[in-house]
Amino acid sequence: MEVDREALQLIAATATLTGSHGWKEPTEKMMDAMVAARPADPDALAMVASIQLMLNDVEGAKKRIADHVMPIAPEHSFAKAVLVMIHHSKDEKAERDALCKAIIAADDDPDAVTVAKEVMGS
């Protein structure tokens, strides 16, 4: 069964909502479902990494991006935006700023550009 992008975004939004309320188990099940539905989709994997980051699983999010997204989509702007937030949370300013500049220059994902510009302005 193919899960389209809109359904994937709905699952991600629901997982974000449950995660923000501290409901870890249902959030993790939704993240697992996203990966199972689209295991080689950089969008799905980056969305899961962003949810992991929200759950304070910084290292898990970083590992998911490094091990699963970057090998198949090294220029994926949303994944880079997640990495920006990871570097920001770890106070790694040089890495964060370099990625922000690359995202802004690529200008291929409006959400990623917004994240990069906001982080650069902070």
Side-chain angles (χ1 to χ4, degrees):
M1 178 175 105
E2 179 68 23
V3 176
D4 67 14
R5 182 165 175 78
E6 188 175 312
L8 186 70
Q9 289 174 324
L10 181 59
I11 296 167
T14 305
T16 300
L17 181 63
T18 59
S20 69
H21 287 290
W23 301 329
K24 189 173 181 179
E25 186 176 334
T27 303
E28 289 175 342
K29 286 183 180 182
M30 284 182 262
M31 291 179 353
D32 291 344
M34 290 171 66
V35 172
R38 295 179 82 170
D41 180 350
D43 290 334
L45 297 169
M47 285 182 212
V48 170
S50 71
I51 296 166
Q52 285 179 280
L53 184 58
M54 181 200 62
L55 294 173
N56 293 318
D57 181 7
V58 177
E59 291 306 316
K62 185 175 181 179
K63 183 171 176 43
R64 184 172 308 276
I65 296 292
D67 294 354
H68 301 285
V69 179
M70 288 300 145
I72 59 174
E75 297 303 316
H76 194 273
S77 290
F78 183 67
K80 287 181 179 180
V82 174
L83 283 175
V84 163
M85 298 311 298
I86 290 168
H87 291 307
H88 186 70
S89 71
K90 295 172 82 175
D91 203 32
E92 298 170 344
K93 293 178 182 174
E95 296 89 343
R96 177 198 71 195
D97 291 350
L99 275 173
C100 284
K101 290 174 184 172
I103 291 167
I104 293 166
D107 195 22
D108 60 358
D109 182 327
D111 294 330
V113 171
T114 298
V115 168
K117 285 181 177 178
E118 288 193 15
V119 169
M120 289 292 288
S122 67

